[in-house]
Structure formats: C-alpha cells, structure tokens
Amino acid sequence: PELGGLWGDVIGVVGRIYRRKQFHKRRVTQLFREFRRLSAALPDGVILLSENREIRWFNRTAADLLGLRRKVDLGLPIENLVRNPEFAGYLQRPVAGGGVIIRVQSGEFWLALFVIPVGGQYLMLARDVTREARLEQMRKDFVANASHELRSPLTVISGYVNELADDGGVAAEW
C-alpha cells in the first residue's frame, strides 16, 4: 500500500527485507538442489559423519553401495551399519591417505572405504573395487599356476642332472 510518512518508510524497508529474504531463500534452495544433483552423479559414495561418527547425510551412490536408507539410517553410528572388524578398527584411528578394503557380506563385491577428518566431523568415501580385487586374485592365481607349471618340469630335469652328476661313467663336461 502507498502510505506516506514514517509508516510508509517502515513498510518500504520491511518490503525490501522480505524480498531480499525471498531471493536468498530461492538461491539457497537452488544451490541445494544443484548440490544434490551433482552429488548423485558422483561415482563414489559420500557420507557425512558427525563427531560421534553418526550419519548426517549421504548421497545416492553411498545408499546403493552400503544399503543405506535415508529415513531409517540417519543419526545411526556408521559402525552399526557397516559391520566389519577391519573397518571398526580403521574408524577408531583413520590413517591420512589410507583406507580399508572390506568384503561386503550381502554380496560378492569389495569396497574401499576412506574416512577423512574435517573440522570435528568426518567425510567418508566408499568406492566399489570389486573389479580390482578380482584382477588381483586372477594375477595371484596366474603366478601360482605359472610357478607350478615351471617348477614341475624343472624338478624332473634337476633329478636327471643330479643322476648324471653322480654317475662316474659320464664325462665331466656332460
């Protein structure tokens, strides 16, 4: 309304403050939606933990990898949901730059978990390393098989060479 005098000035100031508040509210809502959209596109799971290691927020990838449910698991300690002795030990004393690789009980996949202290809170990253774990197992199996396949013929040859060395009727160069 068009009011003159002191009340008109007061209403004008209140109107400007209200419009500025609405602008900032829309801006924060827009930024929050953009953050959620971008965090959902991350290939790694991201979980924000409180100082007591309780879940405060997580993205969609973390929910898929760890089986988290937004309405049920918020506020619960992460060690109650990720039940693994190696992870529990790592969580008590996270190593800078290091993480822990665990096998998830519900399936045949492996996760690399990293916990990063950030100002009294913790940022936890979860990455599916199933492919890398399977490749490492295949490499170990190949080395073991190749070693066995080479060792067997060499053992036979070594036995013949020892027999020839012990035989006095064979020339020394043989």
Side-chain angles (χ1 to χ4, degrees):
E2 290 293 327
L3 295 176
L6 182 63
W7 285 110
D9 292 342
V10 169
I11 290 175
V13 169
V14 169
R16 280 193 298 278
I17 291 172
Y18 179 76
R19 284 190 301 275
R20 190 177 311 136
K21 178 184 169 212
Q22 291 299 321
F23 170 78
H24 289 295
K25 183 178 178 180
R26 283 192 304 271
R27 179 73 177 131
V28 167
T29 302
Q30 179 186 10
L31 287 172
F32 182 69
R33 286 182 180 147
E34 187 175 342
F35 173 76
R36 286 182 54 192
R37 185 176 52 78
L38 292 173
S39 69
L42 288 173
D44 294 341
V46 180
I47 303 167
L48 181 62
L49 303 173
S50 69
E51 60 189 24
N52 298 326
R53 295 177 183 87
E54 296 167 342
I55 298 173
R56 298 184 73 187
W57 175 86
F58 54 87
N59 67 353
R60 194 175 305 148
T61 307
D64 294 341
L65 290 174
L66 296 170
L68 301 176
R69 297 161 300 174
R70 190 159 310 281
K71 293 182 179 179
V72 177
D73 295 333
L74 287 177
L76 293 177
I78 189 69
E79 58 264 18
N80 288 1
L81 302 170
V82 181
R83 296 194 158 277
N84 185 291
E86 292 178 47
F87 175 68
Y90 169 71
L91 195 58
Q92 296 306 319
R93 49 193 179 292
V95 179
V100 64
I101 297 176
I102 65 168
R103 186 176 191 170
V104 177
Q105 297 171 347
S106 64
E108 273 293 316
F109 67 99
W110 296 79
L111 289 178
L113 302 173
F114 304 90
V115 176
I116 304 158
V118 181
Q121 299 181 54
Y122 297 93
L123 185 67
M124 184 173 137
L125 302 175
R127 177 177 293 154
D128 185 1
V129 292
T130 304
R131 184 172 184 268
E132 291 85 354
R134 287 182 180 154
L135 286 173
E136 179 65 20
Q137 187 60 45
M138 286 172 53
R139 185 194 65 80
K140 286 179 182 179
D141 292 345
F142 173 77
V143 169
N145 289 337
S147 173
H148 174 73
E149 293 296 327
L150 288 174
R151 200 176 302 133
S152 297
L154 289 176
T155 302
V156 172
I157 292 170
S158 174
Y160 283 124
V161 169
N162 287 336
E163 282 296 318
L164 286 175
D166 292 342
D167 189 4
V170 178
E173 64 252 10
W174 285 101

